[in-house]
Every structure is written in structure tokens, then in C-alpha cells.
Amino acid sequence: MIDKREFETVFRRHYDGMFRLAWRMLGDEAESKDVVSDVFAHLLNRVCRGEFEIRGNDTLQAYLQTSVRNRCINLLVHKQKEQQMQQAVVVEMTTPEQTVEQEQLQMLHHYIDRRMPKLSQQILRLRYQQGLKYREIADVLQVSEVTVHNHLSQSLKQLKDHFKSLGYGIK
């Protein structure tokens, strides 16, 4: 059985290696620290109940590294399942109207990316995605405000004509 002083020595000797393993697997400092802490808490519980004993060729380091690896895998699997459930909820909550809007938005982005000049694409995004004013767009792109105005006018007319031809009632 390991006493308190021996347990502290084990903690100091193995913490860094266990943390590095968890960090490599999880890529998150806080989660890695939590995993290592959980492994040590579980080990301490087993030691206090007199259940912990290393037999044969097993080493304490191998036990700790395996415990960290298994906890990381369990955490990753849990996070993946949680993410799948969240995605399923979002899909179920999406109304047909939202689906149509999403498809239309995708069509709009696709058209802008494929059919419009780069400068027009940049101006549209700066204006409607980032909410910049004409003067701000002109400063960012180092063009005149008139150029910004002309590109926006032409782009909006082009978009309107295209979607009208597809049967969308755009005013």
C-alpha cells in the first residue's frame, strides 16, 4: 500500500508525462488537466480502499499512461456523441422555410463566387457581411467611394436579374 508521501512522489514524478499525453490527444489544456486529475483521484481512491496493487511486469507509469489514454478516448467519444446529438436537434428544429432560406443563401453565395469579379465579391462581403460603410470599404480596398457605389449597384442589379430569371420574386 502507498502512503501519502509516496503518493505525492508518484504525482510529482508522473504528472508532466501524463499531462503531455492528454494534451496531445485532446489539444485542450483545461481538459487535459481535468483528465490527469481524475486519474490521480481514481488512483488515490483505490489506494485508500486497499484495492491498488501492481502485479507482474506492469509498471506504475504504464498504468497511469494507460489510464490517461483511456480517459481521453472516453472523453473524445462522449464529445463526439454530444456533437452528433446537437446536430440532430438542429436538423429536427429546422423548419421547411429555414431550409429554403438556407438553400437560397447557398445559391446566392455560389453565384457571387462563380460569376462576379473579385472586386465586386469583396465589396459585397464588406458591405453586407461586415456592415462597412462606403467610405470604409473604399479605404480597405484602396478605391474611390464612386467605385464602391458602382460595383454595388451593378452587383445588386446582376443578382436581382439572375434570381428573377430563376422565378424568385425579388423586388
Side-chain angles (χ1 to χ4, degrees):
M1 186 139 133
I2 299 175
D3 67 19
K4 181 180 176 184
R5 199 170 53 223
E6 288 174 306
F7 189 82
E8 287 175 6
T9 302
V10 167
F11 180 87
R12 286 190 181 100
R13 183 176 297 144
H14 297 284
Y15 181 87
D16 288 338
M18 294 167 65
F19 174 77
R20 283 192 305 274
L21 173 61
W23 175 260
R24 280 193 312 268
M25 292 183 73
L26 301 174
D28 182 277
E29 183 179 0
E31 286 180 345
S32 299
K33 287 179 179 179
D34 287 345
V35 163
V36 174
S37 294
D38 287 347
V39 169
F40 276 118
H42 181 72
L43 176 63
L44 185 58
N45 265 344
R46 291 192 64 201
V47 166
C48 290
R49 291 191 311 251
E51 298 173 357
F52 184 76
E53 185 178 330
I54 298 174
R55 297 182 187 146
N57 294 331
D58 292 348
T59 65
L60 180 58
Q61 182 175 357
Y63 170 83
L64 294 171
Q65 294 288 325
T66 301
S67 295
V68 167
R69 182 181 55 86
N70 290 342
R71 294 227 182 217
C72 288
I73 290 169
N74 290 344
L75 180 61
L76 291 169
V77 167
H78 175 75
K79 286 171 69 173
Q80 183 181 21
K81 286 180 182 177
E82 194 172 87
Q83 192 174 38
Q84 288 171 344
M85 286 176 49
Q86 287 174 350
Q87 288 172 349
V89 167
V90 167
V91 168
E92 277 189 32
M93 291 177 63
T94 303
T95 65
E97 294 83 16
Q98 288 172 318
T99 303
V100 169
E101 287 176 10
Q102 288 171 346
E103 288 172 5
Q104 289 173 344
L105 195 55
Q106 285 177 335
M107 287 173 55
L108 176 65
H109 285 290
H110 182 77
Y111 184 84
I112 291 169
D113 291 341
R114 304 275 189 266
R115 297 276 187 94
M116 296 200 159
K118 287 289 180 198
L119 184 58
S120 294
Q121 292 176 28
Q122 291 173 317
I123 289 172
L124 281 166
R125 287 195 171 90
L126 290 171
R127 178 72 179 126
Y128 295 107
Q129 287 180 335
Q130 295 186 20
L132 298 183
K133 296 178 180 169
Y134 284 33
R135 174 79 259 147
E136 295 169 323
I137 296 169
D139 290 343
V140 168
L141 299 177
Q142 297 181 342
V143 296
S144 70
E145 284 186 62
V146 173
T147 300
V148 171
H149 174 75
N150 290 341
H151 273 271
L152 276 175
S153 296
Q154 291 168 4
S155 297
L156 292 174
K157 183 183 180 328
Q158 185 180 348
L159 287 169
K160 183 178 177 181
D161 292 345
H162 173 71
F163 283 97
K164 228 180 201 178
S165 73
L166 295 175
Y168 293 102
I170 299 174
K171 297 179 181 179

